[in-house]
Amino acid sequence: MSYVSKTLITTEPEPAVNDKRLSICLLANGFSFSVTTGDGQLLTFGEAEGGHAKVMTAAIADVKAFFAEVGIRPLGYKSMELIVMSDNCTWVPNELYSSTANRQYLRLVGCDAVSVMSTPCDALASTAVYEANDQLAMGFKVALPGLVVMNQHVKMVQLAPRSVDHPVLFTHWRQGRVDVAAFRDGRYIYGNTLRFDSGDEIRFRIVEVMKTFGIESPNTELMMCGDVDRELFARLRPYFPATTLYTGNAARYTNPAFKGLHTYRHALILM
């Protein structure tokens, strides 16, 4: 087995509910996962550490072996999702979308991807086309039947209702990159992955997104999650009327061990 358990917090005994959701997020060296209920209760959080298999059959075996090892049954979920991190993504309106043109869509935004995936998004009536390891994702899908694969930008669209009362700039931080989504009046306005080398550079680019896409207002909210530290938070806070750490929707739990979990670092699987 290529994956080993790094962190595992579970609820014992697990409540008998019919609306459990399994959410998995692929990382560079493993993945994180959560089990939540439809009303926002966090039941399980875990992290798997290890190298990803390079062929689909090995990926299937590794995923099955890991979940068996930690005692997580991959059955009985109302929904299951896999979030893959993608540095290159574009949106194509559904009426213009053709799966045979996936690589061409990405070439138009300067990406010559070898491995391309796509996910429809009903909320935008569009399909996200993005660079991702399709063999690895397919391994997870076969190991966990019913799993829906998406990238972080499709996932972030779900935060649009947060902007009904005020504009929102949502940011998900990872090493040398930040995934951004701008919302206004309950609508998705803009999304992209920005690369950066320094704090000063990304501060300028984040403020530029706010000004360019018309979400600058006296009550604009900057939401931050992922690899956020005190310095980064303090660097951006003066430029926005409100700056918050987004910790996801899974606010309730019964196991006190969850108190020590920095949920803002794993917010994508807790939405």
Side-chain angles (χ1 to χ4, degrees):
M1 182 175 72
S2 294
Y3 299 123
V4 296
S5 180
K6 178 183 176 183
T7 307
L8 183 64
I9 307 172
T10 60
T11 301
E12 297 291 347
E14 185 174 295
V17 294
N18 297 319
D19 62 348
K20 289 191 302 180
R21 185 188 72 180
L22 174 64
S23 184
I24 304 170
C25 184
L26 281 184
L27 306 173
N29 294 297
F31 59 90
S32 59
F33 65 96
S34 70
V35 178
T36 57
T37 65
D39 62 356
Q41 183 178 357
L42 178 58
L43 301 179
T44 299
F45 171 83
E47 292 176 288
E49 194 171 56
H52 297 300
K54 298 186 183 300
V55 296
M56 187 176 71
T57 52
I60 296 169
D62 288 347
V63 173
K64 287 184 174 180
F66 174 80
F67 281 110
E69 180 72 18
V70 299
I72 302 294
R73 295 188 64 204
L75 300 170
Y77 297 99
K78 186 174 183 180
S79 64
M80 295 188 291
E81 64 184 18
L82 175 69
I83 305 165
V84 300
M85 293 295 110
S86 176
D87 292 342
N88 297 288
C89 176
T90 189
W91 292 99
V92 182
N94 284 340
E95 62 268 25
L96 301 177
Y97 174 74
S98 169
S99 60
T100 59
N102 277 347
R103 285 185 173 80
Q104 178 63 23
Y105 296 138
L106 283 185
R107 278 198 289 270
L108 291 172
V109 293
C111 172
D112 268 327
V114 174
S115 184
V116 179
M117 298 190 68
S118 62
T119 301
C121 179
D122 292 341
L124 300 183
S126 298
T127 295
V129 180
Y130 50 94
E131 183 178 19
N133 186 332
D134 56 349
Q135 290 293 309
L136 180 59
M138 184 58 66
F140 272 80
K141 285 190 70 173
V142 174
L144 303 169
L147 189 75
V148 175
V149 181
M150 66 187 72
N151 77 344
Q152 72 273 32
H153 293 289
V154 176
K155 182 68 174 176
M156 288 156 57
V157 168
Q158 298 178 16
L159 287 168
R162 176 98 173 198
S163 69
V164 170
D165 297 323
H166 61 275
V168 170
L169 181 57
F170 180 81
T171 57
H172 172 249
W173 299 83
R174 45 202 179 93
Q175 190 172 17
R177 291 162 176 74
V178 56
D179 307 306
V180 302
F183 304 98
R184 186 184 64 227
D185 301 323
R187 296 183 296 117
Y188 180 88
I189 303 298
Y190 169 80
N192 203 354
T193 295
L194 309 178
R195 296 168 177 80
F196 62 94
D197 295 317
S198 69
D200 287 337
E201 176 191 0
I202 196 57
R203 175 180 59 186
F204 169 79
R205 298 192 68 187
I206 290 294
V207 173
E208 184 181 37
V209 169
M210 175 181 66
K211 293 179 177 294
T212 301
F213 291 93
I215 61 170
E216 183 177 18
S217 78
N219 58 355
T220 298
E221 178 185 15
L222 172 66
M223 300 172 65
M224 306 177 71
C225 69
D227 296 333
V228 181
D229 56 24
R230 291 179 181 272
E231 180 182 355
L232 178 62
F233 189 88
R235 187 185 295 271
L236 288 168
R237 188 174 185 176
Y239 296 90
F240 292 84
T243 305
T244 56
L245 280 177
Y246 178 67
T247 58
N249 295 326
R252 297 191 301 107
Y253 51 80
T254 57
N255 186 342
F258 284 120
K259 287 184 178 180
L261 179 65
H262 295 301
T263 53
Y264 67 90
R265 293 192 176 276
H266 311 283
L268 291 185
I269 59 171
L270 298 174
M271 285 184 179

